[in-house]
């Protein structure tokens, strides 16, 4: 008994040391990944700034990063940027919720029903290929220059990524899982909620990420085609006056909010799909 107590006491420090080493390794890997992620952008910004300082670049066509940053700060301090951004965010969110929600529902329905697939999928696939720029004039003609045409244009773009990925996610569920469900005597409701939907969540989350990206693209088209407010309008108005720093400021805002929304969905995906065991590009962090 005494020897066993000594052995257990010796194992505990070793276990704590191993856990601490693993945690430190994960932190080091995270820091390394973050540094690698910003290495290329920082290098490009330095080269760009140096080229601007040496007058190699035309400041009207391609202003230096410091000038763009100064303009961005000025727009933020004046409140103009926040005002336009609030309007754009409202349009993008509403369009995404409308189009993405309908796309998810349609993808689940078509995924579960072969009859619905034969009825709807050919038409939806044809509509999916229509570009925003071709549809935008019709939307303005039908619904005017108000909010309705903008939100519907964003919804049109957000619909298809979620539709396609929800449909593929359901159809790509491993058939062996259905054998397990049959052995466990799952009801149809249990089959849907405990097997099919969870197994298709990776595809659905991918569809959400793509839909959010397309929503911002649709927003730019909608606001540049006919609008008196929003980041897209700010960019288009600045372009007509050759205010390139303002154009770049609007682009930076779109890039930051797009990256932020994508990172949020990825974080939610990791939290909800902890059970997923997939290849991580050479090792887990």
């Amino acid at each position: 008994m005494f020897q066993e107590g000594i052995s257990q006491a010796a194992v505990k420090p070793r276990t704590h040391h191993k856990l601490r080493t693993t945690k430190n390794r994960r932190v080091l890997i995270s820091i390394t990944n973050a540094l690698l992620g910003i290495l290329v952008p920082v290098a490009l910004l330095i080269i760009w700034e140096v080229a601007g300082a040496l007058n190699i670049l035309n400041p009207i066509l391609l202003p230096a990063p410091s000038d763009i940053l100064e303009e961005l700060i000025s727009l933020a301090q004046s409140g103009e940027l926040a005002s336009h951004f609030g309007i754009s965010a409202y349009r993008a969110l509403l369009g995404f919720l409308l189009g993405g929600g309908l796309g998810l529902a349609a993808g689940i329905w078509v995924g579960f029903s072969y009859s619905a697939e034969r009825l709807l999928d050919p038409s939806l696939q044809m509509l999916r290929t229509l570009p925003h720029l071709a549809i935008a004039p019709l939307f303005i003609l039908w619904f005017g220059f108000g909010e309705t045409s903008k939100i519907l244009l964003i919804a049109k773009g957000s619909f298809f990524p979620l539709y396609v990925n929800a449909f593929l996610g359901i159809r790509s569920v491993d058939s062996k899982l259905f054998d397990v469900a049959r052995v466990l005597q799952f009801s149809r409701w249990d089959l849907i909620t405990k097997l099919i939907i969870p197994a298709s969540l990776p595809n659905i989350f991918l569809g959400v990420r793509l839909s959010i990206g397309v929503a911002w693209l649709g927003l730019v088209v909608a606001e540049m085609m006919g609008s008196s407010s929003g980041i897209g309008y700010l960019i288009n108005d600045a372009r007509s006056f050759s205010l390139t720093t303002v154009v770049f400021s609007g682009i930076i805002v779109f890039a930051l909010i797009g990256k932020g929304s994508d990172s949020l969905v990825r974080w939610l995906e990791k939290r909800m799909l902890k059970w997923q065991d997939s290849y991580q590009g050479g090792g887990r962090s």
Side-chain angles (χ1 to χ4, degrees):
M1 292 290 293
F2 179 72
Q3 289 180 347
E4 288 179 2
I6 294 176
S7 300
Q8 291 177 0
V11 168
K12 285 183 179 179
R14 267 190 249 118
T15 303
H16 289 310
H17 176 71
K18 186 176 180 181
L19 290 173
R20 189 164 55 249
T21 303
T22 303
K23 185 177 180 180
N24 292 337
R25 181 174 175 272
R26 288 179 176 176
V27 171
L28 181 62
I29 290 174
S30 298
I31 294 173
T32 303
N33 289 339
L35 291 175
L36 287 173
I38 65 173
L39 181 62
V40 173
V42 169
L44 289 175
L45 286 173
I46 292 173
I47 295 171
W48 185 359
E49 181 67 33
V50 171
L54 297 175
N55 294 322
I56 298 175
L57 303 175
N58 186 337
I60 296 178
L61 299 178
L62 195 62
S66 57
D67 295 332
I68 298 170
L69 180 61
E70 184 180 348
E71 184 67 51
L72 187 61
I73 293 173
S74 176
L75 288 170
Q77 289 176 342
S78 67
E80 185 179 3
L81 187 64
S83 175
H84 286 295
F85 172 72
I87 295 170
S88 293
Y90 166 76
R91 290 167 177 164
L93 179 61
L94 198 58
F96 165 73
L97 291 176
L98 176 62
L102 291 175
L104 178 61
I108 292 174
W109 180 30
V110 173
F112 278 120
S113 172
Y114 182 62
S115 299
E117 179 187 0
R118 288 184 297 173
L119 176 67
L120 296 177
D121 191 63
S123 300
L124 291 176
Q125 293 296 341
M126 181 180 64
L127 292 174
R128 184 173 66 88
T129 61
L130 296 177
H132 277 68
L133 287 175
I135 296 295
L138 280 177
F139 274 43
I140 292 173
L141 181 65
W142 292 339
F143 306 107
F145 285 94
E147 295 299 307
T148 303
S149 60
K150 298 176 182 61
I151 292 170
L152 289 178
L153 187 63
I154 296 166
K156 178 261 178 190
S158 302
F159 176 91
F160 293 103
L162 255 171
Y163 163 74
V164 171
N165 282 280
F167 168 70
L168 292 177
I170 291 172
R171 290 298 177 89
S172 61
V173 176
D174 193 343
S175 60
K176 295 178 182 177
L177 296 177
F178 290 95
D179 297 333
V180 175
R182 198 176 298 111
V183 172
L184 296 175
Q185 296 182 340
F186 274 15
S187 65
R188 183 170 179 81
W189 176 251
D190 288 336
L191 187 68
I192 293 171
T193 58
K194 296 180 180 180
L195 173 62
I196 298 176
I197 297 298
S200 60
L201 277 178
N203 285 78
I204 291 175
F205 271 110
L206 175 61
V208 171
R209 291 175 61 189
L210 294 174
S211 287
I212 291 175
V214 176
W216 287 110
L217 292 175
L219 175 70
V220 175
V221 173
E223 291 185 340
M224 294 184 74
M225 287 293 290
S227 181
S228 58
S229 59
I231 299 296
Y233 163 76
L234 184 69
I235 292 174
N236 195 41
D237 187 59
R239 178 194 59 80
S240 62
F241 291 100
S242 298
L243 300 175
T244 319
T245 53
V246 179
V247 174
F248 272 101
S249 298
I251 293 172
I252 290 172
V253 171
F254 275 128
L256 291 176
I257 194 62
K259 174 59 178 174
S261 56
D262 183 75
S263 298
L264 176 61
V265 176
R266 291 187 66 182
W267 178 78
L268 289 172
E269 182 181 7
K270 287 181 180 179
R271 296 274 295 183
M272 295 182 67
L273 300 180
K274 288 182 178 180
W275 50 266
Q276 190 181 19
D277 186 19
S278 58
Y279 179 62
Q280 301 293 319
R284 293 184 181 276
S285 59

